[in-house]
Amino acid sequence: MADLDPPWSRLPPQHLSAELEYGGNRVRLDDPEKKFYRLGRLGTQCDIQIEHQTASRIHAIIAHHEDGWMCIYDLGSANGTFLDDEQLPAKEPTKLKSGSVIRFGECTVEFRVTIGDRREGAKKEMMTSLADYGEAEPDSTPSSSVK
């Protein structure tokens, strides 16, 4: 199975938040110890099982690319992998973006990717706290000024 492992994959950055949603299921794609996720019919060898006869046993990989982006990589499947209704070339990493819809073969279940940055939420929370702080009632205790 090591021959299917993409040599350009790497562990995800700590700030990454990513998940795959399909058929009422949600799978996190940001395990700090996982470089990639195998998708296909074989539940024993795939991280995410695609229950459809047109999906290959090991159909595709979603990976964290060494250049810092997430990608989908078709492993040469018989019926293809589609990203936003366009068939992907086999064995070529294709960049994913938040909101991308992936389809495997003739499977009608949509696999929707959500990618985010945990730091954005932290920044928004901090900015809200700072804005709230600026709107606080002035302290009635006298302050000293430095000259």
Side-chain angles (χ1 to χ4, degrees):
M1 191 87 78
D3 58 323
L4 299 177
D5 300 352
W8 39 261
S9 64
R10 68 174 178 105
L11 293 175
Q14 289 182 328
H15 63 271
L16 176 76
S17 168
E19 67 181 22
L20 184 66
E21 186 178 344
Y22 63 98
N25 299 307
R26 282 188 173 184
V27 177
R28 305 250 358 134
L29 299 174
D30 51 14
D31 183 330
E33 297 180 17
K34 243 176 144 36
K35 294 179 180 183
F36 57 89
Y37 300 82
R38 288 187 193 98
L39 297 95
R41 276 195 344 259
L42 285 181
T44 57
Q45 295 181 7
C46 294
D47 302 292
I48 300 167
Q49 189 171 9
I50 305 168
E51 296 181 17
H52 196 273
Q53 67 272 14
T54 63
S56 295
R57 290 179 296 230
I58 304 173
H59 195 102
I61 290 176
I62 292 180
H64 302 282
H65 197 277
E66 64 189 352
D67 290 340
W69 38 274
M70 288 193 75
C71 65
I72 181 90
Y73 182 78
D74 183 282
L75 293 167
S77 65
N79 295 301
T81 301
F82 300 81
L83 180 63
D84 298 324
D85 291 325
E86 290 192 32
Q87 187 165 2
L88 301 179
K91 302 191 178 191
E92 187 176 308
T94 303
K95 190 173 185 176
L96 290 171
K97 61 182 190 284
S98 194
S100 293
V101 175
I102 306 166
R103 189 170 46 84
F104 303 96
E106 297 300 315
C107 181
T108 57
V109 175
E110 289 186 347
F111 290 73
R112 186 171 302 275
V113 179
T114 304
I115 303 169
D117 189 331
R118 288 189 181 110
R119 295 176 299 185
E120 290 176 13
K123 287 178 190 175
K124 287 177 188 172
E125 188 176 297
M126 183 179 75
M127 295 306 288
T128 302
S129 296
L130 289 174
D132 291 344
Y133 177 78
E135 294 173 6
E137 292 294 317
D139 191 354
S140 59
T141 52
S143 61
S144 60
S145 47
V146 179
K147 295 182 184 182

